[in-house]
Amino acid sequence: RREVMSVHYSIETISSDKDTNFTAALAQNAIENESLSFPSDYSTVNINKLKINSIAVQADFTNTGAALDLEVVFWNTDGYSNTDLDTDGYIASVLFSNSDARQIAGSGQYYYESENSFKSPIYYEDADGTGELHVGLVNRSATTFHADDTIKLSFVVEPIL
């Protein structure tokens, strides 16, 4: 009799780091791209496809002074927005309006959720095989995102086997 080992992969969260990701000042329509590592057990079995089920944005706009309109862009390689359309790996984007940003007790951090503009799920493939989620953050507001402020993006993902 042969036993088969069953492996189950659950829903996980991939998050940016407020100290190392998305740290540049962003003028209106400017983008900063980052590559965020997949959960470590995904690379063990070469998982490179995900369903992105939700996105949350947590931001401290102390120096910027106001909530911003933001867009999160998904790329399938770390070539990001290449000028060659055959190389450019655009997958999808999600807009976050400043009117959707909420604070607790009217001060401190702002919280955005993808519930209003999110076409769930987004099917994501890491086409360059790096085991990373390639994302860009675009400031869609006239107000510049201040480099001394912080932002964190969190993605609830599920592997596609």
Side-chain angles (χ1 to χ4, degrees):
R1 180 181 144 143
R2 196 174 114 188
E3 289 191 36
V4 177
M5 187 170 117
S6 176
V7 178
H8 298 280
Y9 293 92
S10 62
I11 293 174
E12 303 259 2
T13 301
I14 297 173
S15 295
S16 63
D17 183 313
K18 71 171 185 65
D19 296 318
T20 58
N21 303 127
F22 307 113
T23 57
L26 292 176
Q28 185 174 25
N29 298 319
I31 189 170
E32 181 177 352
N33 293 302
E34 299 285 355
S35 294
L36 309 175
S37 295
F38 284 4
S40 58
D41 60 337
Y42 286 15
S43 63
T44 304
V45 290
N46 297 320
I47 292 173
N48 66 348
K49 295 179 182 177
L50 306 171
K51 285 194 298 187
I52 300 169
N53 295 315
S54 70
I55 307 166
V57 178
Q58 185 178 354
D60 178 352
F61 296 125
T62 301
N63 298 296
T64 300
L68 302 176
D69 294 324
L70 302 170
E71 181 177 9
V72 175
V73 180
F74 296 94
W75 312 102
N76 67 0
T77 71
D78 59 11
Y80 307 113
S81 55
N82 192 296
T83 56
D84 181 347
L85 294 182
D86 292 327
T87 305
D88 185 326
Y90 175 80
I91 293 177
S93 67
V94 179
L95 297 170
F96 294 90
S97 171
N98 66 0
S99 62
D100 292 332
R102 296 178 300 278
Q103 290 180 299
I104 296 172
S107 65
Q109 297 177 30
Y110 286 87
Y111 304 94
Y112 300 75
E113 289 182 60
S114 56
E115 60 196 27
N116 294 331
S117 66
F118 191 62
K119 296 174 183 102
S120 176
I122 292 174
Y123 291 93
Y124 180 85
E125 180 176 4
D126 175 31
D128 60 7
T130 57
E132 295 171 319
L133 182 64
H134 308 292
V135 297
L137 179 67
V138 181
N139 175 15
R140 293 294 182 200
S141 294
T143 303
T144 297
F145 174 73
H146 198 281
D148 290 334
D149 286 344
T150 55
I151 196 158
K152 178 181 174 181
L153 306 181
S154 296
F155 307 90
V156 175
V157 301
E158 186 176 349
I160 298 174
L161 304 175

